[in-house]
């Protein structure tokens, strides 16, 4: 069986797609209908996931060269959101805020409940970062960590390489700061 939205192969009689989360409808094939070939479905899915923003495509290609798996997210029609997945580095989401301003964001889940000490920790951590800003949001009383930075201007290979290195260094620095331990499970 194939997902009715993204076209990926899923378990027979699945209620939801394990890849995109779309609820599957009960569609039965009649004798006159033929199932779509898997190769055709994959081609359609790949075309719909193509990055159309030329600047975002340059950033995606650069990250792909660095070993990230790049995927366009389906979050809305007005903006293209891209996720960069890496086997050893933090995964990042990026999108164009306005022309010439690309936001890169890393989201981390802690499982820690809110404590007032977290506010002080965030301020102290941000004082130590060079490029990024660190903050948290509360979801159901749990702190979800976010670290983000904005790249400004057109894509330039050397400039983006420096930006990416500084962003990764800030992520590494952040977890080494003593105040960060408040966000770790005991």
């Amino acid at each position: 069986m194939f997902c009715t939205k993204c076209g990926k192969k899923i378990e027979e009689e699945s209620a939801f797609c394990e890849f995109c989360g779309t609820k599957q409808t009960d569609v039965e094939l009649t004798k006159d209908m033929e199932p779509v070939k898997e190769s055709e479905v994959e081609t359609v899915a790949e075309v719909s996931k193509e990055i159309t923003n030329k600047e975002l495509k340059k950033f995606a290609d650069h990250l792909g060269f660095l070993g990230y798996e790049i995927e366009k997210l389906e979050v809305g029609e007005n903006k293209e959101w891209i996720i960069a997945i890496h086997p050893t580095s933090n995964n990042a989401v990026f999108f164009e805020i306005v022309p010439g301003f690309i936001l890169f964001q890393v989201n981390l889940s802690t499982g820690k409940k809110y404590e007032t000490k977290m506010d002080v920790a965030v301020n102290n951590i941000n004082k130590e970062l060079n490029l990024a800003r660190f903050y948290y949001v509360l979801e159901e009383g749990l702190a979800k960590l976010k670290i983000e930075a904005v790249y400004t201007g057109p894509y330039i290979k050397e400039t983006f390489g420096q930006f990416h290195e500084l962003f990764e260094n800030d992520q590494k620095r952040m977890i080494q700061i003593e105040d960060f331990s408040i966000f770790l499970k005991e």
Side-chain angles (χ1 to χ4, degrees), residues 153-166:
Y155 169 82
I156 299 169
K157 180 181 174 183
E158 295 79 15
T159 305
F160 180 65
Q162 293 170 346
F163 169 88
H164 184 261
E165 184 177 347
L166 285 170

Side-chain angles (χ1 to χ4, degrees), residues 3-184:
C3 174
T4 57
K5 181 175 181 182
C6 72
K8 292 187 178 175
K9 188 172 178 74
I10 57 176
E11 294 293 322
E12 291 296 324
E13 300 179 22
S14 294
F16 294 90
C17 175
E18 62 188 271
F19 300 98
C20 71
T22 301
K23 184 175 181 177
Q24 303 301 297
T25 56
D26 296 329
V27 179
E28 293 183 15
L29 295 175
T30 66
K31 292 178 183 175
D32 297 333
M33 299 173 85
E34 292 183 29
V36 177
K37 295 177 185 161
E38 185 174 351
S39 61
E40 293 175 281
V41 173
E42 292 298 324
T43 303
V44 172
E46 287 174 20
V47 170
S48 68
K49 294 283 190 171
E50 185 177 312
I51 301 169
T52 58
N53 180 306
K54 291 178 183 175
E55 280 298 298
L56 287 179
K57 178 78 170 113
K58 293 174 187 175
F59 292 100
D61 289 345
H62 189 127
L63 292 171
F65 177 77
L66 296 175
Y68 287 83
E69 181 182 324
I70 304 300
E71 186 176 322
K72 180 178 168 183
L73 299 174
E74 297 292 330
V75 294
E77 295 178 20
N78 296 337
K79 291 192 184 294
E80 287 186 290
W81 290 55
I82 315 300
I83 185 165
I85 302 167
H86 197 275
T88 57
S89 295
N90 289 328
N91 299 335
V93 174
F94 61 99
F95 61 93
E96 187 174 54
I97 303 169
V98 294
F101 291 82
I102 310 296
L103 177 73
F104 287 83
Q105 184 179 77
V106 171
N107 299 295
L108 304 169
S109 181
T110 65
K112 289 281 289 198
K113 292 190 180 216
Y114 172 75
E115 298 179 39
T116 55
K117 295 181 211 173
M118 290 178 177
D119 298 329
V120 173
V122 165
N123 289 332
N124 290 337
I125 291 168
N126 277 315
K127 290 176 188 175
E128 301 293 324
L129 301 180
N130 291 318
L131 176 74
R133 79 176 180 133
F134 169 68
Y135 63 100
Y136 66 87
V137 295
L138 294 176
E139 291 181 15
E140 300 177 11
L142 299 177
K144 303 285 184 175
L145 308 182
K146 298 184 179 283
I147 184 166
E148 61 187 25
V150 176
Y151 180 94
T152 58
Y155 169 82
I156 299 169
K157 180 181 174 183
E158 295 79 15
T159 305
F160 180 65
Q162 293 170 346
F163 169 88
H164 184 261
E165 184 177 347
L166 285 170
F167 188 47
E168 281 199 328
N169 287 342
D170 272 355
Q171 293 171 58
K172 292 172 187 170
R173 180 179 295 111
M174 176 184 75
I175 63 173
Q176 295 172 351
I177 297 170
E178 185 177 329
D179 286 312
F180 188 78
S181 63
I182 189 86
F183 297 102
L184 301 175

